[in-house]
Amino acid sequence: MASSSKIEDDGEDEISEEELEGFDDFTLASSWERFISEIEAVCRLWLADGPKNLLEKGAINLDSPKNLYKVKFEMKYNMKSYCMEYFFEANSDGETVNWNDDLHDLQLSFGVKKFLVIAPISASGVVLDAPEASKLLSAVSIALSNCGSTWPAFVPVHDPSRKAYIGIQNMGTVFTRRFEADRIGSQVPVRLMHLEGLYELFVSKFEHTIGWSNKQLSPHC
């Protein structure tokens, strides 16, 4: 039988367990908060180690490009398993190196030297659900912000053959940089073979900015 707990106030008042049933204990972190905390803890370790120590601890050398290394960590969230990888360039001594022509897809697309990639552990290895991709990026962004890191983070999306990514990078306390890359492949859509189609694609990426600017224009401009 459960006994009632007592909280003494001036030595006289008593509060039973029944009266505390509606109390919310905010010290218990949600699964979302624990996920962010786990990402943050791993990133802090990688930041503290630096390239030289990560190489000594067994960072994996990619065959192409040869100067690119990675370390990884697996975690779970909402019954799904994810793998977070940190990519960095270094020589055998742990020193950073200059670029060459043999680069990772994300380096070619965005010119990044150090970056994170988080993806589901699955047959495809990509995130096919847009809300899930956004949530993963949000979690990594919050964790990196807590670490004071400006590493860009990416999530692979769509079909694996497209090598498509969306990404985010904290640029200090105010600004955030967004990334988006997609590979068209051998079959280029007809509309992108003409300037009008390319213009529409460009405008669609900046529709909010352009929409705001148009509101500033006079109807007679």
Side-chain angles (χ1 to χ4, degrees):
M1 179 182 294
S3 61
S4 60
S5 61
K6 298 181 180 180
I7 298 178
E8 295 185 2
D9 183 11
D10 294 333
E12 301 225 352
D13 293 340
E14 294 182 1
I15 301 177
S16 66
E17 287 182 349
E18 288 76 9
E19 292 176 275
L20 292 173
E21 284 182 353
F23 176 73
D24 292 323
D25 188 352
F26 291 102
T27 62
L28 298 177
S30 65
S31 59
W32 167 247
E33 291 170 321
R34 290 194 297 270
F35 184 54
I36 294 173
S37 180
E38 188 173 17
I39 294 173
E40 180 182 341
V42 174
C43 289
R44 285 187 184 277
L45 286 175
W46 290 344
L47 281 165
D49 281 338
K52 187 173 183 178
N53 288 331
L54 290 176
L55 289 180
E56 293 176 354
K57 291 182 177 181
I60 302 170
N61 179 221
L62 276 67
D63 293 333
S64 178
K66 297 185 182 302
N67 289 323
L68 189 65
Y69 294 81
K70 74 174 182 179
V71 289
K72 64 181 181 179
F73 184 83
E74 295 181 2
M75 61 194 77
K76 286 188 175 182
Y77 172 65
N78 275 1
M79 305 302 292
K80 292 190 68 174
S81 296
Y82 297 93
C83 181
M84 183 171 68
E85 298 175 316
Y86 168 48
F87 293 81
F88 61 96
E89 285 190 338
N91 57 29
S92 58
D93 297 323
E95 301 294 332
T96 56
V97 297
N98 294 324
W99 279 351
N100 51 43
D101 295 331
D102 192 16
L103 299 175
H104 187 279
D105 290 331
L106 288 171
Q107 292 174 309
L108 288 170
S109 298
F110 305 116
V112 292
K113 287 189 174 183
K114 300 178 181 180
F115 54 94
L116 292 175
V117 175
I118 185 167
I121 300 176
S122 63
S124 66
V126 300
V127 179
L128 302 176
D129 181 66
E132 181 185 5
S134 297
K135 199 160 190 176
L136 285 176
L137 278 184
S138 296
V140 178
S141 178
I142 293 170
L144 289 174
S145 179
N146 292 342
C147 294
S149 172
T150 58
W151 289 345
F154 299 91
V155 171
V157 293
H158 306 313
D159 186 270
S161 63
R162 291 169 61 174
K163 296 185 178 181
Y165 292 87
I166 58 173
I168 193 169
Q169 182 179 21
N170 296 316
M171 306 295 292
T173 58
V174 179
F175 300 103
T176 299
R177 178 183 293 171
R178 296 278 181 171
F179 301 94
E180 184 177 354
D182 200 349
R183 177 172 293 185
I184 296 174
S186 58
Q187 297 298 321
V188 180
V190 176
R191 67 186 185 87
L192 296 182
M193 293 182 179
H194 304 279
L195 285 177
E196 183 178 358
L198 292 173
Y199 172 76
E200 290 174 354
L201 176 64
F202 179 80
V203 169
S204 69
K205 299 299 180 182
F206 296 92
E207 57 184 356
H208 297 297
T209 302
I210 292 176
W212 181 86
S213 300
N214 287 340
K215 290 180 181 179
Q216 312 307 309
L217 297 175
S218 166
H220 303 291
C221 289

